Amino acid sequence: GEDVEQSLFLSVREGDSSVINCTYTDSSSTYLYWYKQEPGAGLQLLTYIFSNMDMKQDQRLTVLLNKKDKHLSLRIADTQTGDSAIYFCAETLSGGYQKVTFGTGTKLQVIP
Amino acid sequence: DVKVTQSSRYLVKRTGEKVFLECVQDMDHENMFWYRQDPGLGLRLIYFSYDVKMKEKGDIPEGYSVSREKKERFSLILESASTNQTSMYLCASSFPSQETQYFGPGTRLLVL
């Protein structure tokens, strides 16, 4: 079955780069996502990558996908205090309904 | 802008009470979802619906039921609340072929 794993916590200094990692088990994933959840709020889609891509860049965000190792990462350049949040990795599988499997979430703490 | 609203941000109920959580979306989305979010477990899918009056069990449907009488509204029902249902409940919606789900702000439910 599907399983998406992330480390639970990451602490970085303001201005440094953050790298949040995720591993997944199902090789038939079609889309892989990064969602951000700020305190007291729902999830907001940050970015996504289609499984036939290996990299996607969007301003300060860089997503890297290693399909062979089933590893996804999110790099945030010049991390700001406003980036403090929980980041969820997620995947959808090909075929059937649009079921999304979420990781456990990584809490990013940015130290001023 | 897509808007997904949930009827309550915080709710306190007693064991054995019947609890209704309401979710409304304004984007004419066919798909609607209910998740619960618990620390260290990420988001787990309770139920989803891909059309009016249609529902499908997710990964953890036990103790819950749902109702979708109108396209814009998806209700989660706890027939007899128990303390292990204390959690954050998140509603989401999407178009069938869309790669992203839009989330509401969440309802934090405490069952005493």
Side-chain angles (χ1 to χ4, degrees), chain A residues 1-4 24-33 50-51 70 90-101, chain B residues 96 99:
Chain A
E2 320 93 48
D3 200 12
V4 181
Y24 59 97
T25 56
D26 201 306
S27 57
S28 59
S29 298
T30 51
Y31 286 98
L32 295 128
Y33 311 84
F50 191 55
S51 58
K70 300 191 186 72
E91 63 172 353
T92 53
L93 305 178
S94 57
Y97 59 85
Q98 189 203 18
K99 183 185 174 187
V100 180
T101 301
Chain B
E99 62 273 8

Side-chain angles (χ1 to χ4, degrees), chain A residues 2 8 31 33 35 37 39-46 48 86 88 92 96-105, chain B residues 9 31 33 35 37 40-43 45 48 57 59 88 90 94-106:
Chain A
E2 320 93 48
L8 291 180
Y31 286 98
Y33 311 84
Y35 282 85
Q37 183 182 35
L43 275 68
Q44 174 194 2
L45 179 70
L46 271 184
Y48 65 92
I86 301 175
F88 289 92
T92 53
Y97 59 85
Q98 189 203 18
K99 183 185 174 187
V100 180
T101 301
F102 288 86
T104 52
Chain B
R9 292 300 302 273
N31 293 352
F33 307 83
Y35 296 90
Q37 179 184 5
L41 296 177
L43 272 70
L45 181 64
F48 68 99
K57 292 180 180 178
D59 299 318
M88 168 76 104
L90 292 163
S94 72
F95 288 119
S97 58
Q98 194 175 42
E99 62 273 8
T100 186
Q101 295 181 9
Y102 294 87
F103 282 83

